[in-house]
Amino acid sequence: MSNRLAALTLNVTNPDTLAEFYCRILGMRRFERDGYIAVGYGNDGAVLVLKPVDDRAPYQHSTTDRYWKIGLTLPDIDCAHAQLKAHGISASEPHQFRDIGYLSHFADPEGHIIELVQHTFEGETKITAGDPVLPLGGSAEIGLVTLRTDNIEKEIDRCEAALGLKSLVREQVSDLGFDLYFLGRPGDTPPDPDPDALINRSWLYQRPYTVLEFQHIKRKTEILAPMPGQKGYSGITVERTGTDKENFV
């Protein structure tokens, strides 16, 4: 098995209730990992490990948090958005965000941000039309896990040297104060060797595994690492070829 991002651990109030949401609404399956409830789509994508904690306060995301979101990649956001709306879930209208992607955002019942990312840009031919009978129209994957950093060189060095991941694509949004960097399997090669090439973006959103994304904050800021037992993000697990794995925050 190639090196891969295997798990994202979230500290939550009620793992059973949250797992039911991810399975019933988003079409994931329930697993067990390291003695905890986990959910995911199977295949080579990461799973979400839902770890119970005593903290009963509501989770509140901040733009200075180390963890930002997961991205569910799928072929038809319009179909997925219609389903979410029918379930009474408030999701932003699908929209093309610059030359980054065709996106929508919502939150799970405990407040964790979820991004929908279509395989193709708005106006381009969809890989396939969504099936309204299937959750989110079918073929969804946990395509992205997004962390924040103020030192992208250090992050890339660690991910490539220690974790065996490979820097694949960069998306520059410098006027908004950040750039996006994406790391995946070492054997994967984008269509264009230029990391900023537009053609690489749809290719990126069609990877059959979970890509690690960093939002590099370019202004001077303090990125807040999670505290032990705190609600929300706890860490990720990267599995290396063979049996080795490494957990880090």
Side-chain angles (χ1 to χ4, degrees):
M1 178 183 294
S2 181
N3 300 351
R4 70 189 189 102
L5 199 169
L8 161 69
T9 300
L10 298 175
N11 293 334
V12 305
T13 299
N14 193 325
D16 275 302
T17 300
L18 202 55
E20 195 273 339
F21 169 83
Y22 278 100
C23 294
R24 180 174 61 88
I25 303 297
L26 306 185
M28 296 187 188
R29 295 160 48 202
R30 180 166 168 160
F31 302 88
E32 180 179 300
R33 183 181 175 96
D34 300 328
Y36 299 110
I37 294 171
V39 292
Y41 291 105
N43 304 318
D44 287 336
V47 298
L48 307 181
V49 179
L50 307 177
K51 184 177 178 180
V53 291
D54 292 334
D55 185 356
R56 313 306 290 182
Y59 169 76
Q60 183 63 52
H61 174 261
S62 169
T63 56
T64 59
D65 287 347
R66 169 67 162 165
Y67 173 69
W68 182 7
K69 60 179 172 58
I70 62 169
L72 304 184
T73 51
L74 69 173
D76 191 342
I77 280 186
D78 300 298
C79 179
H81 185 269
Q83 284 192 6
L84 293 174
K85 187 175 180 180
H87 284 295
I89 296 168
S90 178
S92 64
E93 287 295 323
H95 61 285
Q96 179 66 36
F97 175 61
R98 302 193 178 191
D99 57 3
I100 301 298
Y102 190 41
L103 312 173
S104 175
H105 296 88
F106 63 104
D108 74 15
E110 293 206 16
H112 306 101
I113 298 173
I114 300 172
E115 179 179 69
L116 300 180
V117 186
Q118 188 164 285
H119 291 155
T120 53
F121 284 5
E122 182 180 23
E124 295 180 349
T125 301
K126 295 175 180 177
I127 299 298
T128 183
D131 184 342
V133 175
L134 299 176
L136 299 181
S139 300
E141 298 286 351
I142 301 177
L144 304 168
V145 168
T146 310
L147 305 180
R148 293 188 177 94
T149 184
D150 60 359
N151 188 336
I152 190 61
E153 291 80 12
K154 179 180 178 182
E155 301 282 9
I156 290 177
D157 285 348
R158 181 183 186 189
C159 287
E160 292 187 334
L163 303 179
L165 301 179
K166 176 184 177 182
S167 184
L168 298 173
V169 174
R170 179 176 59 191
E171 298 175 354
Q172 299 190 65
V173 201
S174 297
D175 62 309
L176 296 182
F178 65 87
D179 293 329
L180 305 172
Y181 292 76
F182 302 84
L183 295 98
R185 287 183 169 174
D188 237 352
T189 302
D192 193 312
D194 178 359
D196 298 311
L198 196 61
I199 192 174
N200 292 339
R201 300 180 184 185
S202 291
W203 171 87
L204 178 74
Y205 306 144
Q206 295 172 45
R207 298 303 83 211
Y209 59 87
T210 304
V211 171
L212 177 58
E213 174 184 7
F214 284 105
Q215 183 192 41
H216 176 216
I217 307 297
K218 306 186 80 170
R219 66 184 182 278
K220 184 175 177 57
T221 188
E222 181 183 7
I223 305 298
L224 301 177
M227 300 296 291
Q230 178 180 311
K231 294 288 288 295
Y233 174 68
S234 177
I236 62 174
T237 302
V238 173
E239 290 183 349
R240 297 177 62 90
T241 302
T243 58
D244 292 340
K245 67 180 182 180
E246 180 166 342
N247 302 317
F248 78 103
V249 295

